[in-house]
Amino acid sequence: MYAKNSEEHESRREGSFDPVNPAYEEKQLNNEVAFSEFGEKQDNRSISTGRPTSSTKGVATMIFSLKNEVGGLVRALRLFQEQHINLVHIESRKSKQRNSDFEIFVDCDTDNEQLKELTQLLRTHTDVVEITPFENSTLPDEIMADVPWFPKKISDLDQSSNRVLMYGSELDADHPGFKDNMYRKRRNYFADLAMSYKFGDPILRIDFTTEEVRTWAVVFRELNKLYPSHACKEHLKNLPLLIKHCNYSEDNIPQLEDVSHFLKEHSGFIIRPVAGYLSPRDFLAGLAFRVFHCTQYVRHSSDPLYTPEPDTCHELLGHVPLLAEPSFAQFSQEIGLASLGASDDAVKKLATCYFFTVEFGLCKQDGRLSAYGAGLLSSISELKHALSDKAHILPFDPMVTCNQECMITTFQDVYFVSESFEDAKNKMREFAKTIWRPFTVRYDPYTQSVDVLKDTNSINIMLKDIRHELDIVEDALNRLKKHLSV
């Protein structure tokens, strides 16, 4: 990338520049551009005609390659003259693709139509390498109008977190608690609490019933028998911390408020109570802000080892220990960020990848397979099955995984294994690049909001932030170097 201020141009003029005859060039261009020499070598040249003067135009950047032959640059620049396009700055360097060619970097003062015409003409004489939008370029309103709504700040989740699709206070006829009036009344209580929650509210502490604690105890006890041999290292590391700091135990169901504080300190995630199933779009949107939508109700006591839906046993024993791990938290958030403003089809693919990683994922550790998916780590029977010889296991590949059918009431037909969280994260990053959006987003942890990078101004602001972060890194390295040399 070429920088546009004078200091940055100086630092990048290091290669061999277009070795043409200055007098010949000036004559051919009728003295309309003046050459200035920079650096120690006579062939290091840059051309500048000043800053743009038209208020209705913008500065666009073009890079095109030329053969190292006399007159090549003149013929290309004449196209700018014929289109009445003002040249702001020109540089040249050895091509990074072919040693015999030169790349010409041009800042020009033009509008969008002129730029299109010029690009077509240049393609007949040169190889156009890159075109950078105007300094003040932005996406047209009509393009953004077609983008599905998505939250821009964490408090916007108040608008989507109550859009429960199934369960919540309503139970299907085949639900274990459907005919239990006391259980249904209890579910209504939890649903009302979740529906009334707003961002910033403390999560109400629950006085769990004896029956609920007894159900939790069965799940907690049986799963802990399997964890040492079946769970991943990160889960085994963080569960004892939750026992210590959040009072996880066989005879106590942790409070979501305590768990939320714990996660905030360890990975930046927080808990938000939810009444039941959300749509994939609404659930993933929460992850973008490091918010995990979490149920508070307990599965029906008639079958403690089975639940047709996520419950607090699943959330607290399956999800929370992994969400406390920074690398896993980052992986989860990036799936959420990729979903913001994406099409319904893209969100479905992201949700499927989430399902087969965060819910039912396997990883390799110390030469054996371990479970990191919450759906596995909260299900005794499927956890055993997934790590048995009966399970069908494939390498995690988002392009393949996104098309796999998700099984809800039976074991999965296939499980996907990652080399590590970092490996899964890198693959998901590449997959996210294939999802079409007219913009990208980045999360601002200071304001707990997302910046929509849809114009050059917002991108430049991000670049300034990155430079500041790099300055901090450079300062830290210099101080370390001085300390070690003492």
Side-chain angles (χ1 to χ4, degrees):
M1 179 179 178
Y2 291 87
K4 293 186 178 179
N5 60 52
S6 59
E7 292 83 6
E8 289 173 67
H9 280 312
E10 288 287 334
S11 65
R12 293 178 184 270
R13 296 182 184 116
E14 300 171 344
S16 298
F17 290 75
D18 196 277
V20 292
N21 187 309
Y24 175 77
E25 297 286 309
E26 291 182 13
K27 182 178 179 180
Q28 294 295 318
L29 291 171
N30 298 321
N31 297 318
E32 290 194 14
V33 286
F35 287 87
S36 301
E37 294 185 358
F38 294 89
E40 298 177 359
K41 295 183 178 181
Q42 291 295 316
D43 61 348
N44 285 7
R45 288 194 301 269
S46 175
I47 308 174
S48 180
T49 63
R51 301 309 299 164
T53 58
S54 173
S55 59
T56 60
K57 298 181 179 182
V59 174
T61 298
M62 302 184 70
I63 302 175
F64 53 88
S65 63
L66 295 170
K67 294 290 184 182
N68 185 12
E69 57 186 13
V70 174
L73 177 61
V74 172
R75 286 190 291 274
L77 294 183
R78 185 176 289 116
L79 297 176
F80 289 81
Q81 183 182 27
E82 292 172 352
Q83 294 298 312
H84 306 289
I85 295 175
N86 180 37
L87 298 178
V88 177
H89 190 90
I90 306 174
E91 287 189 21
S92 59
R93 71 176 182 191
K94 272 274 193 184
S95 173
K96 294 181 179 180
Q97 300 175 359
R98 291 185 292 271
N99 290 333
S100 61
D101 292 3
F102 281 80
E103 290 180 351
I104 309 300
F105 161 71
V106 179
D107 266 345
C108 54
D109 186 16
T110 182
D111 58 35
N112 194 50
E113 289 303 317
Q114 284 181 313
L115 185 62
K116 287 181 180 179
E117 293 178 10
L118 177 65
T119 302
Q120 292 176 352
L121 291 171
L122 277 174
R123 290 189 191 281
T124 64
H125 297 277
T126 69
D127 292 327
V128 178
V129 179
E130 182 179 335
I131 301 176
T132 302
F134 303 123
E135 284 183 342
N136 58 350
S137 294
T138 187
L139 291 173
D141 292 339
E142 56 268 24
I143 292 181
M144 292 301 296
D146 294 333
V147 174
W149 178 88
F150 61 91
K152 307 297 194 306
K153 54 184 184 294
I154 193 170
S155 60
D156 287 345
L157 295 177
D158 288 344
Q159 302 179 45
S160 57
S161 295
N162 290 341
R163 299 194 290 221
V164 177
L165 297 184
M166 59 186 297
Y167 295 124
S169 60
E170 299 296 327
L171 304 180
D172 290 344
D174 59 352
H175 192 283
F178 180 73
K179 296 180 180 180
D180 187 337
N181 290 330
M182 290 299 295
Y183 183 78
R184 291 173 68 94
K185 183 178 180 181
R186 189 68 168 162
R187 289 293 294 266
N188 285 333
Y189 168 73
F190 285 113
D192 290 342
L193 290 180
M195 290 292 194
S196 63
Y197 180 86
K198 299 297 182 185
F199 171 70
D201 292 347
I203 303 174
L204 187 67
R205 293 183 176 275
I206 303 300
D207 184 13
F208 290 99
T209 66
T210 301
E211 185 176 18
E212 288 168 341
V213 174
R214 189 163 52 242
T215 300
W216 159 271
V218 174
V219 179
F220 184 89
R221 183 172 59 252
E222 295 303 315
L223 283 171
N224 272 277
K225 294 177 183 178
L226 293 177
Y227 285 157
S229 57
H230 289 67
C232 65
K233 289 180 178 180
E234 292 77 7
H235 189 279
L236 296 176
K237 180 186 75 173
N238 290 322
L239 186 57
L241 297 177
L242 289 161
I243 291 173
K244 178 180 179 181
H245 297 289
C246 298
N247 202 17
Y248 273 55
S249 69
E250 188 174 321
D251 59 357
N252 180 72
I253 302 176
Q255 298 292 332
L256 293 191
E257 181 74 359
D258 296 337
V259 173
S260 188
H261 285 304
F262 177 88
L263 289 178
K264 182 69 173 178
E265 291 180 359
H266 284 77
S267 68
F269 256 86
I270 61 173
I271 295 293
R272 180 179 180 119
V274 68
Y277 273 115
L278 295 175
S279 71
R281 183 181 295 279
D282 290 340
F283 180 81
L284 295 181
L287 298 179
F289 296 86
R290 299 211 170 199
V291 173
F292 183 73
H293 289 89
C294 187
T295 57
Q296 282 183 291
Y297 52 79
V298 182
R299 63 191 64 181
H300 194 261
S301 60
S302 62
D303 191 355
L305 301 185
Y306 168 75
T307 177
E309 59 187 321
D311 74 329
T312 200
C313 301
H314 166 78
E315 319 281 33
L316 296 175
L317 294 173
H319 281 292
V320 169
L322 270 300
L323 285 174
E325 191 66 27
S327 60
F328 184 82
Q330 181 69 24
F331 171 69
S332 300
Q333 183 183 28
E334 291 192 10
I335 295 178
L337 288 169
S339 75
L340 299 181
S343 68
D344 291 343
D345 181 63
V347 169
K348 180 181 178 181
K349 290 181 178 180
L350 288 168
T352 302
C353 288
Y354 176 91
F355 184 86
F356 283 105
T357 52
V358 178
E359 292 289 356
F360 290 94
L362 301 175
C363 61
K364 294 180 181 179
Q365 292 182 339
D366 297 332
R368 66 181 181 89
L369 292 182
S370 298
Y372 71 88
L376 297 177
L377 293 168
S378 59
S379 170
I380 290 89
S381 57
E382 189 156 13
L383 181 56
K384 292 178 180 178
H385 170 76
L387 295 177
S388 72
D389 295 336
K390 298 178 181 179
H392 181 39
I393 297 173
L394 295 175
F396 174 58
D397 177 355
M399 296 300 292
V400 175
T401 304
C402 72
N403 295 312
Q404 181 66 37
E405 183 181 1
C406 304
M407 312 303 292
I408 304 300
T409 58
T410 64
F411 293 163
Q412 301 307 312
D413 292 336
V414 62
Y415 301 92
F416 294 91
V417 59
S418 301
E419 296 295 328
S420 64
F421 295 148
E422 197 65 27
D423 174 62
K425 182 168 61 178
N426 290 337
K427 288 180 178 179
M428 281 305 301
R429 281 177 177 169
E430 292 304 309
F431 179 68
K433 293 177 183 177
T434 68
I435 294 175
W436 185 88
R437 278 189 307 190
F439 58 87
T440 191
V441 298
R442 71 153 181 166
Y443 179 66
D444 184 341
Y446 302 110
T447 60
Q448 293 182 292
S449 63
V450 291
D451 296 326
V452 181
L453 304 180
K454 62 176 182 178
D455 53 49
T456 49
N457 288 334
S458 60
I459 295 172
N460 285 333
I461 291 173
M462 181 178 178
L463 284 173
K464 290 179 181 178
D465 291 342
I466 292 174
R467 291 191 186 104
H468 174 65
E469 296 296 325
L470 289 175
D471 286 342
I472 295 174
V473 173
E474 182 181 16
D475 181 57
L477 290 173
N478 288 336
R479 290 174 185 271
L480 180 62
K481 180 179 179 181
K482 290 177 181 179
H483 175 75
L484 294 176
S485 62
V486 174

